[in-house]
Amino acid sequence: MGMFTAVSLLCTLPAAAKPMAAEVLAEGQTSAVLNAKGENTYPGEWYRNRLAFRKQWQQVVARHVPKLAMHNWIRNMSGVETNLENVTLRGKPYVRFWICQPHNCPGNTVYVLIDILSDKQDLYAYHVYEVTDPKQAGYKVLRTETRMYGEPIDFELEHLKEMHREQQP
């Protein structure tokens, strides 16, 4: 395995995080992951309240993020976040979300997919960020860089890239 090897969540996701048998999602369709109160669940909640998820985030994503101040929000998962969603890809259930840099969502975002049926409940993250020149007015974008954390297979990576394309203006 490579440097960005996925590790286990070390726990089973709660029933609310898994699609119910009666809720069979069509390919690519999404539904919200609800907590015990029937409310949307957010990645930050999992990060604060689930030691296993926090450890996995640190091992798979945070330790491999470029050591730039503009990425500090990733290390402690303090960005703007979407709610967790169930999604079906090739007949398999996943949980997905994205999280972005406060005040710079278009310029620094991480898209995440969790394989909830794998023995390890693998986490994959696709990081897209703009490198800018702060000396130029408007922080001219010099280039866009991408990084992959974890080792998704082809259709998982394609879904992460599609999540990014969906967010573009």
Side-chain angles (χ1 to χ4, degrees):
M1 294 243 167
M3 182 167 90
F4 304 118
T5 302
V7 296
S8 171
L9 278 175
L10 305 175
C11 68
T12 302
L13 296 175
K18 296 181 181 178
M20 302 296 286
E23 184 193 10
V24 176
L25 298 173
E27 184 71 19
Q29 277 192 322
T30 62
S31 68
V33 173
L34 304 177
N35 63 21
K37 296 178 185 177
E39 302 164 333
N40 287 338
T41 304
Y42 291 87
E45 291 175 54
W46 275 16
Y47 186 81
R48 288 185 302 278
N49 301 323
R50 296 172 179 271
L51 179 61
F53 177 72
R54 187 169 51 248
K55 283 182 179 179
Q56 186 178 37
W57 182 261
Q58 292 298 318
Q59 291 176 1
V60 175
V61 180
R63 72 167 25 157
H64 301 292
V65 170
K67 305 287 189 244
L68 301 170
M70 68 185 274
H71 301 309
N72 286 341
W73 62 273
I74 298 171
R75 291 186 226 334
N76 60 9
M77 195 175 266
S78 61
V80 176
E81 55 192 14
T82 60
N83 61 296
L84 299 171
E85 295 179 320
N86 294 303
V87 64
T88 300
L89 303 173
R90 296 212 179 160
K92 285 176 54 177
Y94 292 81
V95 170
R96 75 178 196 169
F97 65 91
W98 57 264
I99 184 169
C100 62
Q101 181 181 20
H103 309 292
N104 188 23
C105 280
N108 197 349
T109 305
V110 178
Y111 303 90
V112 180
L113 191 62
I114 303 170
D115 180 350
I116 61 175
L117 287 186
S118 75
D119 291 340
K120 295 180 181 181
Q121 296 177 343
D122 295 331
L123 182 150
Y124 314 114
Y126 181 64
H127 183 193
V128 181
Y129 60 98
E130 296 173 343
V131 176
T132 59
D133 182 353
K135 295 177 184 175
Q136 293 191 22
Y139 290 89
K140 179 183 176 191
V141 175
L142 301 174
R143 67 186 176 280
T144 299
E145 294 191 7
T146 62
R147 292 181 63 91
M148 188 66 234
Y149 310 108
E151 296 179 1
I153 54 179
D154 59 350
F155 71 90
E156 294 163 333
L157 177 58
E158 184 53 39
H159 184 76
L160 289 164
K161 289 179 177 181
E162 180 61 29
M163 289 172 65
H164 170 64
R165 286 189 294 271
E166 289 172 1
Q167 300 305 312
Q168 299 311 297

